Amino acid sequence: MAITHEGPAPADRPQSTSSIWNDARFRGNVAQIVVVAVVALVLGAMVWNAQENLSNQRIASGFGFLNQTAGFGLNQTLIPYSESSSYGRALLVAILNTLLVAVVGIVFATILGFLVGVGRLSKNWMVRKVCTVYVEVTRNLPLLFHILFWYLAVLAAMPAARNSYSIFGEVFLNNRGVYIPRIVFGEGSLVGFIALAIAVVGVVVLNKWATVRREKTGQQFPAFWTSVALLIGLPLVGFALVGFPLTIETPVLKGFNFVGGSRLLPEFAALVVALSIYTGGFIAEIVRAGINAVSYGQSEAAASLGLKSGLSTRLVVIPQAMRVMIPPLTSQYLNLTKNSSLAAFIGYPELVQVFAGTTLNQTGQAIEIIAITMGCYLVISLATSLFMNWYNRRVALIER
Amino acid sequence: MKKILTALALSASAVFASGAADAATLDQVKQKGFLQCGVSTGLPGFSNPDAKGEWTGLDVDLCRAVAAAIFDDPSKVRFSPLTAKDRFTALQSGEVDILSRNSTWTLSRDATQGLNFTATNYYDGQGFLVRKSLGVKSAMELNGASVCTQSGTTTELNVADFFRSNNLQYEVVAFQGQEETLKAYESGRCEVFTSDQSQLYALRLKLADKDEHVILPELISKEPLATAVRQGDDQWFDIVKWVHYGMLNAEEAGITSQNVKEMLTSPNPDIKRMLGAEGNFGEQIGLSKDWLARIVGKVGNYGEAFDRSVGKGSPLQIERGKNALWSKGGLQYGPPIR
């Protein structure tokens, strides 16, 4: 022991307090505690004041309304819902509708963005210019304009139900949306679905095996085409075994409208198209920046290895570009999800329209409803960015 | 987004405001020097800006009458156009002093929204507007129809009830604003536009081919369109209520904007009380003695306001019907001023 104490123990030393204040970590902790306490106090005061004001104005509060009967109808429900369902159920329907638009929009926007982003770097003058015009036009118009344009333009151009555009008498297009035939699965369809599940597992295993084999022997296996064949073939065999219990339900004009088949709401279609095209413009720029960030030497190196240009893009350039692209891509995905709330202007039943709109007005419980709505968007956004961060870590440059 | 922002701002004001309802609204209005009146975003006959940007209509006249009673000047009103969705929060948060905006008086709104309905300005019912070319004669033939409506209204609930109780299929398409709803109907997104019947008459005027549309005979609900004030200010509640009753009583007694000057010298004790020549009835509710003379002189009685806005003197040509005075077979009844 090299340290020896002189005089009283440290706790009794008069200057020990000042030495504690000199400790940066201690000061940091105190500062944090103070900040948390102040925030908690302010929040508490806000809640208390809000409650006081609400009870003074005799406005009902609390979350009990979620169990009350909603009484209004919704035209797109992914889960069973009727006018006698509760406000809580309506909230669930609205969240699912928001998620549906977000997921479909993100998929389309990503595909579109990648194509256009790569197109902007194309050697073909025509392709390059078309992509540039697309990016400039979409990014410089407000999103609400996009949505209204697609909704009103699509609506105005479409005929009424009685004289719909028809494609082979199976698919119908009118101002109520797109009607397509629906496959009805009869008895015994389970076998087909099991076959599909087996195919999915098979594809995963096959791809793992193909990778391992390539790394060991250097031999390529046509894993992609084999996977496609498996995914289509196995379920077909499964359904054939039980004698194809599938019937196709074609939409038929009955009364005012088509009955049967599946239907895409024009509000949904307009929203997805507008969100995909708008966000696609931003994603295209991210993709272009990502590809430009990969040094040209990498392409030259790939070429010197004898990789064809398609392969070198796919295996050398894009994986490196991904590292640059993912963080800004995440923001675009979050933007798209949040922007879906503009659907309120065209009457698509999503979270803001149904919950922060109709439900708020029917119940008048503004504070609770705004809090719930904010919470929902927060959870969706956090989940998206968690997933993207996880993916980002996976593709991040691992330096050895 | 605008909606969220409004709602956020309103909840924030509920969080931070120090009990707007506690202060006497009358004093606040006098101090401001004008009355803040919440109206619709534009509904011919009820509240609509004219070519000069002046708001006119039956709902507007009630606000002008209150201003006339307080300031002796019906122009001391500022109007806040509110959507169906924002109207109650705007009143709750103190953004407007009066909500005079074709709002249906219902129990749950009265009980849970922190407001009091003063009196029914217009007795209405919900109806259906369809294209003539559909050949529909009754609402019972609307099975499978698409229905355009405004979100967050009693209309939206009634239409669900109607189709459900009659076992009819329907699809509802709800928009936040009246303009969007009407545009969707006009473009053919729905066969049916549903709203209060008076609104259907008014909005039909806005359609390009207004003779191609008919209003079906059925009324599927009672829609007493009433004026509302914040709860917790009884004096203000009385003032707004009695301005409406005063206009009814004036009509019943035959006092009009034309003859109110001569009526001041009327020997009829009832008219004397109304116009302040006898007693101090206006002062009892916090106004001046001649409160009703001011209202009728500057704005007119209920019948005059009705005819000018929605009745014979207007493009809407709506019959008095249920909105006639009780003495003429209608429902409008002003309690006595004495």
Side-chain angles (χ1 to χ4, degrees):
Chain A
M1 285 299 247
I3 301 162
T4 48
H5 288 295
E6 284 173 38
D12 303 329
R13 250 189 243 172
Q15 66 268 55
S16 65
T17 42
S18 74
S19 74
I20 274 185
W21 283 109
N22 287 335
D23 182 359
R25 245 181 76 188
F26 175 78
R27 276 204 318 266
N29 285 341
V30 169
Q32 286 193 20
I33 290 169
V34 169
V35 168
V36 168
V38 168
V39 169
L41 216 70
V42 169
L43 278 180
M46 276 167 67
V47 169
W48 179 80
N49 193 25
Q51 270 177 351
E52 194 79 347
N53 283 343
L54 288 178
S55 70
N56 277 347
Q57 294 183 43
R58 265 146 266 164
I59 298 171
S61 62
F63 292 93
F65 72 92
L66 284 172
N67 293 322
Q68 286 164 16
T69 306
F72 53 82
L74 294 172
N75 56 354
Q76 180 184 302
T77 58
L78 298 177
I79 51 171
Y81 170 88
S82 78
E83 288 81 0
S84 49
S85 302
S86 65
Y87 285 120
R89 189 85 181 170
L91 170 64
L92 213 59
V93 170
I95 292 175
L96 288 176
N97 284 345
T98 292
L99 286 177
L100 182 71
V101 162
V103 169
V104 176
I106 284 174
V107 169
F108 282 140
T110 310
I111 295 173
L112 199 63
F114 264 80
L115 290 178
V116 175
V118 173
R120 284 203 74 177
L121 299 168
S122 163
K123 292 190 186 80
N124 183 320
W125 183 87
M126 191 66 193
V127 171
R128 212 165 56 233
K129 287 298 163 199
V130 166
C131 290
T132 309
V133 169
Y134 166 84
V135 168
E136 292 307 326
V137 169
T138 52
R139 294 204 326 162
N140 288 312
L141 289 172
L143 177 56
L144 188 58
F145 174 85
H146 279 267
I147 292 176
L148 291 177
F149 169 78
W150 283 102
Y151 188 56
L152 297 175
V154 166
L155 258 190
M158 292 291 151
R162 283 178 196 178
N163 25 8
S164 313
Y165 295 130
S166 141
I167 304 170
F168 305 124
E170 300 282 339
V171 176
F172 297 93
L173 246 116
N174 58 41
N175 54 18
R176 302 294 157 74
V178 186
Y179 294 78
I180 51 170
R182 184 165 66 106
I183 301 172
V184 182
F185 294 98
E187 199 133 338
S189 302
L190 192 63
V191 179
F193 287 117
I194 292 172
L196 181 67
I198 293 172
V200 170
V201 174
V203 165
V204 173
V205 172
L206 179 83
N207 278 297
K208 281 248 157 86
W209 172 80
T211 312
V212 170
R213 193 177 89 126
R214 192 187 66 225
E215 282 170 359
K216 268 192 184 153
T217 67
Q219 276 172 318
Q220 292 283 350
F221 184 81
F224 178 76
W225 293 111
T226 322
S227 305
V228 171
L230 263 180
L231 281 176
I232 296 174
L234 262 188
L236 271 182
V237 171
F239 280 115
L241 278 178
V242 284
F244 282 106
L246 310 177
T247 40
I248 290 176
E249 190 186 86
T250 313
V252 196
L253 185 63
K254 215 165 130 189
F256 293 111
N257 227 326
F258 283 88
V259 179
S262 293
R263 172 186 180 203
L264 226 58
L265 283 183
E267 289 83 28
F268 175 80
L271 191 62
V272 165
V273 170
L275 285 173
S276 308
I277 288 183
Y278 179 76
T279 316
F282 288 88
I283 292 180
E285 286 297 88
I286 292 169
V287 170
R288 186 171 70 106
I291 292 175
N292 276 341
V294 178
S295 129
Y296 189 63
Q298 295 288 326
S299 304
E300 288 175 333
S304 74
L305 283 176
L307 285 181
K308 288 183 199 126
S309 94
L311 272 180
S312 99
T313 306
R314 216 178 76 212
L315 297 175
V316 178
V317 178
I318 297 280
Q320 297 186 67
M322 281 305 259
R323 290 169 192 147
V324 185
M325 276 152 49
I326 294 220
L329 212 52
T330 309
S331 334
Q332 287 308 322
Y333 290 173
L334 295 182
N335 280 347
L336 188 144
T337 310
K338 290 179 289 183
N339 284 341
S340 69
S341 61
L342 283 172
F345 285 90
I346 57 167
Y348 174 73
E350 48 72 66
L351 192 51
V352 170
Q353 161 84 351
V354 173
F355 201 63
T358 303
T359 307
L360 194 158
N361 206 244
Q362 300 294 3
T363 61
Q365 310 214 273
I367 294 184
E368 292 86 350
I369 284 174
I370 293 299
I372 293 176
T373 311
M374 275 163 45
C376 288
Y377 278 110
L378 190 66
V379 168
I380 295 174
S381 294
L382 285 180
T384 312
S385 62
L386 270 180
F387 172 79
M388 291 301 280
N389 284 339
W390 167 81
Y391 187 68
N392 190 27
R393 271 199 301 280
R394 245 183 65 118
V395 299
L397 188 62
I398 301 161
E399 299 200 26
R400 296 195 173 90
Chain B
M1 216 59 235
K2 190 192 112 210
K3 248 193 313 186
I4 278 224
L5 283 180
T6 322
L8 257 182
L10 294 174
S11 7
S13 71
V15 168
F16 294 111
S18 52
D22 294 342
T25 314
L26 179 63
D27 296 340
Q28 285 178 356
V29 169
K30 278 182 178 161
Q31 208 179 354
K32 278 189 295 193
F34 62 88
L35 177 76
Q36 194 74 42
C37 173
V39 289
S40 77
T41 51
L43 179 64
F46 289 85
S47 42
N48 204 29
D50 65 11
K52 281 175 281 174
E54 289 280 300
W55 286 84
T56 56
L58 193 62
D59 287 343
V60 166
D61 280 348
L62 187 100
C63 289
R64 295 214 185 276
V66 175
I70 298 173
F71 301 111
D72 199 13
D73 182 356
S75 68
K76 291 201 167 168
V77 189
R78 292 194 191 167
F79 293 96
S80 303
L82 300 169
T83 66
K85 249 188 47 41
D86 299 331
R87 55 189 161 177
F88 298 126
T89 358
L91 182 66
Q92 288 165 359
S93 61
E95 210 178 289
V96 296
D97 305 310
I98 294 183
L99 185 68
S100 184
R101 190 207 172 279
N102 54 295
S103 302
T104 305
W105 186 341
T106 70
L107 189 147
S108 67
R109 285 175 176 176
D110 211 343
T112 64
Q113 302 254 22
L115 47 86
N116 274 333
F117 287 98
T118 57
T120 303
N121 205 23
Y122 186 93
Y123 289 95
D124 209 347
Q126 184 175 345
F128 296 109
L129 180 74
V130 296
R131 276 168 209 278
K132 264 187 193 152
S133 58
L134 277 184
V136 171
K137 293 274 172 283
S138 147
M140 301 304 285
E141 297 167 33
L142 291 175
N143 195 14
S146 282
V147 183
C148 279
T149 179
Q150 243 189 300
S151 63
T153 55
T154 47
T155 314
E156 196 184 8
L157 303 178
N158 294 332
V159 75
D161 284 354
F162 172 78
F163 280 95
R164 205 152 41 120
S165 58
N166 288 303
N167 252 327
L168 300 172
Q169 295 293 314
Y170 77 110
E171 178 207 16
V172 65
V173 194
F175 297 86
Q176 65 166 337
Q178 205 171 54
E179 288 295 322
E180 287 108 298
T181 322
L182 192 68
K183 209 178 278 167
Y185 167 74
E186 203 170 12
S187 73
R189 175 67 183 86
C190 344
E191 281 93 12
V192 187
F193 180 92
T194 186
S195 195
D196 295 345
Q197 215 172 38
S198 62
Q199 283 195 40
L200 296 180
Y201 281 111
L203 293 172
R204 190 167 63 163
L205 297 179
K206 290 190 177 179
L207 291 171
D209 46 352
K210 58 179 189 292
D211 296 327
E212 293 304 305
H213 303 267
V214 284
I215 291 161
L216 296 180
E218 282 92 348
L219 278 184
I220 63 165
S221 67
K222 292 184 287 187
E223 307 285 338
L225 305 183
T227 313
V229 295
R230 268 184 302 282
Q231 249 177 27
D233 187 344
D234 288 351
Q235 184 197 25
W236 187 244
F237 178 55
D238 284 344
I239 290 175
V240 178
K241 188 164 55 179
W242 279 98
V243 165
H244 175 69
Y245 293 148
M247 288 170 82
L248 288 180
N249 280 318
E251 185 188 0
E252 201 178 336
I255 311 172
T256 67
S257 53
Q258 307 302 320
N259 68 9
V260 65
K261 290 249 161 57
E262 296 99 77
M263 284 288 195
L264 280 172
T265 53
S266 161
N268 182 332
D270 196 26
I271 293 176
K272 274 184 168 171
R273 282 194 295 271
M274 280 190 211
L275 298 180
E278 204 176 288
N280 62 341
F281 296 98
E283 284 165 2
Q284 290 172 8
I285 53 171
L287 298 171
S288 65
K289 257 186 187 175
D290 62 340
W291 64 292
L292 192 50
R294 289 176 173 189
I295 294 173
V296 178
K298 300 274 164 45
V299 182
N301 64 35
Y302 181 78
E304 288 178 281
F306 190 97
D307 288 344
R308 179 172 65 218
S309 304
V310 296
K312 292 193 289 285
S314 80
L316 291 176
Q317 296 288 332
I318 299 178
E319 298 285 317
R320 277 298 283 270
K322 289 193 282 291
N323 289 293
L325 289 180
W326 67 287
S327 50
K328 301 215 173 106
L331 293 170
Q332 291 291 3
Y333 184 100
I337 295 175
R338 67 179 311 140

